[in-house]
Amino acid sequence: RDGHEMLRLALSRRVPWPARRVQPAAPRLGALYARGNQQATADSNLFEANDKLRRSLLYRSKQRGWLEMDIMLGNWAKANLHGLDGAQLEQFAAILEKENPDLFKWLTGQAPVPPEDDSEVMRRICADLNTRMNTYATVKSEKGSWEGKVWE
């Protein structure tokens, strides 16, 4: 008899499927690793409510797809997200929704920030980047700005 016929026969007679040999269960190792596990402690509820949002925004600011934007926004987020309140975090999330070409032009001062996208956090990011990036520009122009300069 072939396998299909045997299966039909077994199902029609309600004969239990031949039992296969079952290995004994391994001893539970949970007790052995109880001290060194990485589970959250009982006081994990003491984290701030916005910490999950902060971690998500930090990840998104470092994974934009453009190396320049990853560096600029990722470094700024790492240094500043901890000090932002809920409304400011929402402003930063709105900034991260913008397209890279537009955002790059705004952050580097190549184009003005449109009024509908202007916010306290956007002004702060632009000011911080302008202050930090001026030290890396190798060519000083009469404007004194770092836009379009050669990087060291």
Side-chain angles (χ1 to χ4, degrees):
R1 296 180 180 173
D2 67 349
H4 293 290
E5 187 178 337
M6 289 181 63
L7 180 60
R8 274 194 310 269
L9 185 62
L11 292 176
S12 67
R13 294 184 183 171
R14 300 194 187 274
V15 175
W17 192 255
R20 63 175 202 206
R21 187 175 171 157
V22 178
Q23 296 290 333
R28 297 191 56 86
L29 300 176
L32 297 175
Y33 297 106
R35 285 193 199 139
N37 71 8
Q38 297 179 5
Q39 292 181 356
T41 60
D43 59 353
S44 63
N45 63 336
L46 301 179
F47 289 122
E48 194 173 327
N50 290 326
D51 281 346
K52 181 178 178 183
L53 177 59
R54 282 188 181 95
R55 289 190 303 271
S56 172
L57 292 174
L58 179 62
Y59 177 81
R60 288 176 51 206
S61 64
K62 289 184 173 189
Q63 303 291 327
R64 295 197 52 92
W66 280 23
L67 178 61
E68 296 85 354
M69 295 297 290
D70 295 346
I71 292 170
M72 287 191 299
L73 285 175
N75 290 345
W76 189 89
K78 183 177 178 184
N80 295 288
L81 280 184
H82 62 83
L84 300 182
D85 62 17
Q88 292 169 328
L89 290 173
E90 293 300 324
Q91 290 176 5
F92 187 68
I95 291 169
L96 293 180
E97 294 296 322
K98 303 302 175 192
E99 294 293 327
N100 279 336
D102 297 331
L103 193 54
F104 183 79
K105 288 178 183 176
W106 301 336
L107 296 179
T108 58
Q110 297 175 21
V113 178
E116 63 271 9
D117 295 318
D118 194 21
S119 65
E120 173 191 355
V121 175
M122 178 66 91
R123 289 188 298 273
R124 185 172 162 189
I125 294 171
C126 290
D128 289 351
L129 287 174
N130 191 17
T131 301
R132 190 175 65 201
M133 296 305 164
N134 268 333
T135 61
Y136 294 109
T138 58
V139 178
K140 297 289 183 185
S141 69
E142 58 276 357
K143 292 185 197 175
S145 62
W146 59 278
E147 297 89 6
K149 302 296 187 302
V150 178
W151 293 89
E152 294 179 342

